[in-house]
Amino acid sequence: MEKRAILAFVLSFIVLLVWMQFSARKPATPVDNNMIQQEGQIDKAVKPVDVTEPGAKADQNIVSDQDENTGSTPDVEEKEITVETPLYIATFSNNGPSLTGFKLKKYRTTIDEDSPPVELFIAQEYTKKHISFYFNSLSVKNRDNLIFSTDKDSIVLNPGQKPEELSFRYVSPEGIIIEQVFNFAPEGYDITADVKITNSSGAMINGNIKSVINNLPPNQKGRYYSFTGAAAFFNNELEDYKPGDLDDDDTPDLSGNIDWFAYEDEYFISAVAPEEVKEARFTAIMQPSGVITATHFSTPVELPGASEVSRKYYLFLGPRDTDIINDFGHKLGKAIDYGFFSIIAGPLHFVLNFFNGFLHNYGFSIILLTIIIKIIFWPLTHKSQKSMKEMQKLQPLMAKIREKYKDNREMMNKELMGLYRTYKVNPMSGCLPMLIQIPVFFALYRVLGSSIELRHAPFAFWINDLSAPDRLFSFPFSIPFMDPPYGIPVLTLLMGASMFLQQKMQPMIGDPSQAKIMMFMPLIFTVMFINFPSGLTLYWLTQNFLTIGQQYFINKKSD
């Protein structure tokens, strides 16, 4: 049974490592400058393909930002329009038209006070458009690069002001009128987009509204469990695709009810939710340059002469904050997904935020949450530790049985089980509490590693970001097993020391060689935690201290 306990620890550790390996974000494909489209050049492979039938072949490279002939009228020049609210600064281009930049004023890139605001998208040579809407019809030439006229050069909204609109308009030589109107409010991260197509050509035209999100994932390794990539809420289920999922030929092509589609990273999201949730189409690909392109095709439309059609879309560009996203609606709250452990992680996240509501410090909130969890598991761990104490008293009798029946394993196990029944001891009760608490640990790992509330949240002393590993001082050299920045992982070392003390206080069960193997567990956990969020390490350290106090109480009572 002692070997089974060791095996349980080892298997738990292996499961954790495997789970971390498969859940960690894969780094985005590095940009190959030789594959980037140059100004005024288009490869045949990246020209847009018109999609008017739900079963038609998907566009394999949805957007190309440059074209030799824009199809624009000579008196309209390409320009940028800036929209500023208390929460963000958005930049639009009348080419498309398209959203080409978005800065979040309340979120900084780093914890430094002078750090620039977070940018959800940065226009570059190979990806200039973040979010765009197109009339996807062969009747409109160069439809992805039309230059629209606009009614404003800038918009500034202050708190309490009424919402304002930004209008774009294009008339094709054939008499097809495309209008896009964006509505902005001073409060909130949501933007409304109305797309209207009017057929004044006198001929029948058909097509659909194509909405596109582009972004270039950061070429870096995710620190903890986090998701970066394209996502869609399709037929009431969340479908998400990391960069690695889009590298092969089996790229997603979904047809059904699509409530929203998005580009996400670990803390922020850019999403588009169509008002009309009907049979639609969603595709996602990774461009040769590494850019992820997510595309939504509306249901096909037919427009006879002198008719029009309009579609409304709701945009959300902001933090992956549960309350903010739920207020937006359109089932976007489903984007915050903790996977298999959602049933545990969701309530833990809620309780953590509840505690922070009156403590105003997520570090102390984590400590209080740990105490509550410990109280819940107290009877189980108390019974386990008492059982281990009783098992220690039986060690001399167990040693005699092993020696007597060393050549007859079946008889030895039978006698040992009889000994356990006689003294009413459960040999498995020692590892049962840890096995039960593993799902709680995984759930907290998900919550503390990807909750935006902990991003740049300070605790005390040197710990100024509970979502990052704790580092005291800064070293100019690398340290084995440690991700940058390099420094002294004080909390992690304290956690390892407390785990060592905890094992020394627990009754030794089994032969000395097995006990020595178990003493390596604190070292293994210390290495494993060295790059974990300091908030998660704080949870485990607090739990160790509480367990040490509980063990001390049991040892004193039994002496």
Side-chain angles (χ1 to χ4, degrees):
M1 300 306 294
E2 294 85 355
K3 291 180 180 179
R4 291 180 184 177
I6 294 175
L7 181 61
F9 279 111
V10 173
L11 288 178
S12 300
F13 176 68
I14 293 174
V15 168
L16 178 60
L17 290 182
V18 172
W19 179 78
M20 288 171 58
Q21 176 66 28
F22 280 96
S23 65
R25 176 176 62 191
K26 297 179 182 179
T29 304
V31 175
D32 183 354
N33 291 325
N34 293 326
M35 304 185 77
I36 297 172
Q37 298 299 310
Q38 299 298 320
E39 185 81 22
Q41 294 182 344
I42 273 195
D43 189 281
K44 291 182 180 179
V46 298
K47 284 186 177 179
V49 177
D50 188 47
V51 182
T52 57
E53 298 292 337
K57 180 64 179 176
D59 177 0
Q60 292 302 304
N61 283 278
I62 305 297
V63 175
S64 176
D65 288 334
Q66 301 296 329
D67 201 315
E68 293 176 346
N69 180 9
T70 64
S72 61
T73 53
D75 56 342
V76 179
E77 295 182 353
E78 186 172 348
K79 65 178 181 178
E80 287 190 344
I81 302 95
T82 302
V83 178
E84 182 172 359
T85 77
L87 297 178
Y88 60 81
I89 301 174
T91 305
F92 284 80
S93 170
N94 63 336
N95 182 337
S98 55
L99 179 67
T100 58
F102 205 89
K103 298 180 181 180
L104 300 175
K105 297 168 70 173
K106 292 187 178 296
Y107 295 89
R108 297 289 173 182
T109 305
T110 68
I111 59 174
D112 296 334
E113 293 183 0
D114 298 331
S115 176
V118 167
E119 298 193 41
L120 298 189
F121 177 81
I122 302 175
Q124 302 180 42
E125 183 180 10
Y126 42 88
T127 170
K128 296 182 182 299
K129 302 175 181 179
H130 185 36
I131 297 179
S132 307
F133 299 93
Y134 307 99
F135 180 46
N136 194 42
S137 172
L138 290 173
S139 301
V140 181
K141 297 180 180 179
N142 308 304
R143 54 197 175 278
D144 288 355
N145 292 280
L146 304 176
I147 305 299
F148 284 62
S149 60
T150 181
D151 63 339
K152 293 183 178 73
D153 293 328
S154 66
I155 295 176
V156 177
L157 286 173
N158 296 311
Q161 283 188 230
K162 293 182 179 179
E164 284 199 36
E165 292 182 348
L166 175 62
S167 299
F168 296 92
R169 191 172 190 268
Y170 173 82
V171 182
S172 75
E174 297 79 17
I176 299 172
I177 304 172
I178 305 173
E179 297 173 280
Q180 298 188 23
V181 180
F182 296 86
N183 189 285
F184 310 91
E187 300 85 15
Y189 294 94
D190 53 312
I191 301 170
T192 303
D194 289 285
V195 182
K196 180 180 177 182
I197 313 298
T198 303
N199 182 13
S200 301
S201 67
M204 172 72 73
I205 62 173
N206 56 59
N208 53 32
I209 308 299
K210 181 177 71 173
S211 42
V212 181
I213 301 178
N214 287 304
N215 215 335
L216 179 68
N219 190 20
Q220 62 185 36
K221 181 182 178 182
R223 294 178 300 171
Y224 329 117
Y225 181 90
S226 60
F227 171 75
T228 295
F233 197 64
F234 169 73
N235 288 345
N236 285 318
E237 290 187 5
L238 178 64
E239 304 287 344
D240 49 33
Y241 306 93
K242 299 178 183 179
D245 300 329
L246 306 174
D247 282 341
D248 51 33
D249 296 330
D250 188 24
T251 53
D253 190 342
L254 311 176
S255 294
N257 293 331
I258 299 171
D259 290 271
W260 55 263
F261 73 106
Y263 172 87
E264 301 181 54
D265 62 27
E266 56 187 341
Y267 293 121
F268 304 98
I269 181 171
S270 300
V272 175
E275 183 181 54
E276 185 181 66
V277 182
K278 292 182 178 179
E279 185 72 17
R281 194 146 163 263
F282 168 80
T283 65
I285 62 165
M286 175 175 277
Q287 308 281 6
S289 60
V291 174
I292 289 179
T293 298
T295 307
H296 175 277
F297 300 95
S298 73
T299 52
V301 296
E302 290 187 350
L303 284 176
S307 64
E308 63 182 37
V309 65
S310 61
R311 295 285 185 270
K312 185 185 290 287
Y313 297 86
Y314 301 94
L315 283 61
F316 181 91
L317 297 101
R320 285 166 45 89
D321 182 290
T322 304
D323 294 335
I324 296 175
I325 286 183
N326 284 334
D327 288 343
F328 173 76
H330 305 281
K331 301 181 182 179
L332 190 59
K334 300 294 184 180
I336 300 178
D337 178 56
Y338 297 112
F340 183 76
F341 300 100
S342 292
I343 193 170
I344 302 174
L348 289 176
H349 190 194
F350 174 81
V351 173
L352 185 65
N353 286 334
F354 174 77
F355 288 159
N356 189 68
F358 57 87
L359 291 177
H360 304 292
N361 185 299
Y362 273 103
F364 292 120
S365 301
I366 291 172
I367 292 174
L368 181 56
L369 177 63
T370 309
I371 294 173
I372 298 299
I373 293 174
K374 192 65 178 178
I375 291 173
I376 294 174
F377 285 109
W378 182 277
L380 187 62
T381 54
H382 186 76
K383 183 177 180 181
S384 169
Q385 290 172 336
K386 284 186 65 177
S387 178
M388 291 177 68
K389 194 72 176 176
E390 294 298 322
M391 286 281 291
Q392 187 183 32
K393 296 177 181 178
L394 297 181
Q395 289 302 302
L397 296 177
M398 294 169 64
K400 290 181 180 180
I401 292 174
R402 290 192 181 96
E403 179 63 27
K404 183 177 180 180
Y405 299 103
K406 61 182 178 181
D407 297 326
N408 190 340
R409 182 170 293 275
E410 183 178 350
M411 192 64 186
M412 179 179 67
N413 290 333
K414 184 177 180 180
E415 290 293 321
L416 286 173
M417 294 303 296
L419 184 67
Y420 299 146
R421 284 194 296 269
T422 301
Y423 288 91
K424 297 182 174 59
V425 173
N426 183 358
M428 290 300 295
S429 62
C431 59
L432 183 61
M434 184 172 185
L435 293 176
I436 293 177
Q437 291 181 68
I438 282 177
V440 177
F441 170 78
F442 282 151
L444 274 172
Y445 179 84
R446 294 292 302 270
V447 170
L448 301 181
S450 60
S451 295
I452 194 169
E453 293 89 348
L454 269 69
R455 181 182 184 268
H456 299 171
F459 172 43
F461 306 113
W462 71 95
I463 303 175
N464 50 21
D465 186 357
L466 286 166
S467 69
D470 76 292
R471 302 285 189 263
L472 182 61
F473 306 124
S474 180
F475 300 151
F477 51 85
S478 62
I479 299 175
F481 305 107
M482 182 182 289
D483 291 340
Y486 305 110
I488 304 175
V490 179
L491 270 187
T492 310
L493 294 175
L494 288 175
M495 185 275 299
S498 65
M499 197 171 181
F500 177 79
L501 178 60
Q502 178 184 338
Q503 285 200 347
K504 294 293 286 185
M505 292 180 64
Q506 286 179 345
M508 187 180 71
I509 301 176
D511 58 60
S513 61
Q514 293 173 349
K516 288 180 180 178
I517 293 175
M518 292 302 294
M519 294 307 291
F520 278 101
M521 292 302 293
L523 178 61
I524 294 173
F525 269 72
T526 300
V527 174
M528 186 173 66
F529 271 71
I530 201 169
N531 296 313
F532 277 10
S534 54
L536 188 66
T537 308
L538 178 62
Y539 158 74
W540 201 261
L541 174 63
T542 304
Q543 180 182 248
N544 285 351
F545 279 140
L546 294 174
T547 304
I548 288 170
Q550 186 179 19
Q551 188 66 54
Y552 178 79
F553 172 77
I554 292 174
N555 291 347
K556 274 290 187 181
K557 190 175 180 180
S558 60
D559 288 343

